[in-house]
Amino acid sequence: MVTRRNFIINTSLAATAVLALPSLAFSMNKKEIGLQLYTLREELPKNVKETLEKVAASGYTNVETYGFSIKDQFWGLSPVELKKILDDNKLKAVSGHYNLGSYLYDGNTAELIAAIAAAKILKNEFLTVPWIDEPFRKIEDYKKIALRLNQAAKMCKEVGLKLAYHNHDFEFQKHDGVTGYEILLNETDKNLVYFELDLYWVVRSGNDPLKLFKENPGRFKLWHVKDMDKTNPALNTEIGSGSIDFKPFFKEAKQSGMVHFFVEQENNYAGDSFQSIKTSSDFISKELI
């Protein structure tokens, strides 16, 4: 009996068939599970080496850094020193969160230049903007920030980096009928500025990630996979233990444009935080990819 599987394998259309099925195309990289290191913000500054060893042992191959500053670099380590520890544990820092407040609000490029230099040493693919401070969330602010994101993205492209913006829920608040997120999506160059979609915050804000995928195909190159506690939506939980069904989102990974995703859990750990990241990794590996 000729099964569908045998048909695909045994015809010259195999490659086309795989590309036509987003879930199959995505599964080719199923071992690439990432962790936003902010999840381990209590442990990491105390012992970077030991913490990253445990991250690798928990099934992660990619990480996303946070906390870089010109003064302290990464928790007292230079980018070169951090890169060695990552390499020793076969971890790739494919993205990093870099606070660019002084650049976004005032146009001061010193912070941006330092972030780009660090990102290049770590071999980041994406330099990701994680946050907009509360005083800068008015319509005119979002418009100015969109322009600055375009400028920063051009600087990143010149050295082989991509720029992304990470959301929370406040970007979805309406100001005279328009949201900050709509301004950032519509007034940035779609060929230069990408987005890291935090699925938890999108759902928490009452919005639908699938609708965003459909309306803005290809722009969400990065995801944060963060689950919502079933009894208290303000809290996180291990992936697969909460109220968010991630399966529909992963089925549309190709439409989203997603190339990397990162588990993140900011609170409400089920005991030990290292066990939490292992639980999330195991669920993703078995159920989602």
Side-chain angles (χ1 to χ4, degrees):
M1 180 177 177
V2 178
T3 65
R4 180 176 180 275
R5 172 181 169 81
N6 288 335
F7 174 77
I8 292 175
I9 292 174
N10 293 323
T11 66
S12 60
L13 297 175
T16 303
V18 170
L19 290 174
L21 296 168
S23 60
L24 289 180
F26 180 71
S27 70
M28 293 170 69
N29 292 319
K30 68 181 299 180
K31 299 301 182 185
E32 297 280 324
I33 301 176
L35 179 71
Q36 165 50 260
L37 292 177
Y38 188 73
T39 302
L40 301 172
R41 63 194 177 279
E42 296 296 325
E43 296 83 1
L44 197 61
K46 298 174 185 175
N47 193 323
V48 176
K49 182 176 181 293
E50 182 179 296
T51 300
L52 292 179
E53 287 172 354
K54 291 181 178 181
V55 169
S58 298
Y60 294 89
T61 59
N62 294 340
V63 297
E64 183 173 54
T65 61
Y66 77 95
F68 173 79
S69 71
I70 294 176
K71 179 183 177 182
D72 297 322
Q73 304 289 287
F74 292 99
W75 322 290
L77 295 177
S78 71
V80 171
E81 291 169 327
L82 177 58
K83 180 67 167 62
K84 184 181 186 308
I85 298 174
L86 291 167
D87 288 346
D88 288 344
N89 290 283
K90 296 182 172 56
L91 292 170
K92 295 180 293 182
V94 293
S95 175
H97 277 194
Y98 295 90
N99 282 309
L100 301 180
S102 62
Y103 168 72
L104 294 177
Y105 316 141
D106 302 324
N108 184 340
T109 60
E111 198 171 29
L112 173 59
I113 291 169
I116 289 174
K120 287 298 293 178
I121 292 170
L122 290 183
K123 296 192 183 302
N124 293 156
E125 295 174 36
F126 290 86
L127 189 158
T128 303
V129 178
W131 176 260
I132 294 174
D133 290 333
E134 191 169 355
F136 303 96
R137 299 176 187 172
K138 297 183 287 293
I139 289 179
E140 57 269 26
D141 295 320
Y142 282 111
K143 289 180 176 290
K144 179 173 70 176
I145 287 169
L147 290 174
R148 296 225 164 106
L149 289 175
N150 282 335
Q151 294 165 355
K154 290 177 183 176
M155 292 174 65
C156 285
K157 185 178 181 181
E158 288 174 358
V159 295
L161 289 167
K162 299 182 182 70
L163 185 86
Y165 176 85
H166 166 269
N167 68 279
H168 289 78
D169 58 346
F170 59 80
E171 294 93 343
F172 296 96
Q173 296 172 1
K174 288 198 173 182
H175 308 265
D176 296 330
V178 65
T179 69
Y181 207 62
E182 288 171 327
I183 293 171
L184 294 178
L185 279 167
N186 295 329
E187 300 195 16
T188 53
D189 187 332
K190 66 180 181 180
N191 296 312
L192 286 176
V193 177
Y194 302 102
F195 290 81
E196 178 172 62
L197 202 68
D198 190 306
L199 298 170
Y200 165 86
W201 284 117
V202 175
V203 173
R204 177 90 189 275
S205 69
N207 288 276
D208 182 4
L210 295 176
K211 185 172 184 288
L212 287 169
F213 297 168
K214 185 175 181 181
E215 293 175 349
N216 307 274
R219 294 206 71 182
F220 305 104
K221 301 294 186 188
L222 308 173
W223 293 356
H224 273 189
V225 179
K226 181 164 56 182
D227 214 340
M228 184 184 294
D229 185 81
K230 289 180 179 178
T231 57
N232 185 352
L235 297 178
N236 302 158
T237 188
E238 292 71 31
I239 309 302
S241 301
S243 60
I244 298 178
D245 181 6
F246 292 100
K247 289 183 180 179
F249 308 147
F250 275 86
K251 286 180 181 177
E252 298 303 327
K254 185 177 180 181
Q255 184 181 55
S256 160
M258 189 264 279
V259 292
H260 299 297
F261 69 88
F262 307 95
V263 170
E264 185 180 40
Q265 186 171 344
E266 297 187 50
N267 49 53
N268 197 32
Y269 306 100
D272 179 76
S273 56
F274 290 111
Q275 182 56 50
S276 289
I277 66 170
K278 180 69 163 60
T279 298
S280 292
S281 173
D282 288 346
F283 180 85
I284 290 171
S285 181
K286 293 174 184 176
E287 301 294 335
L288 295 180
I289 58 176

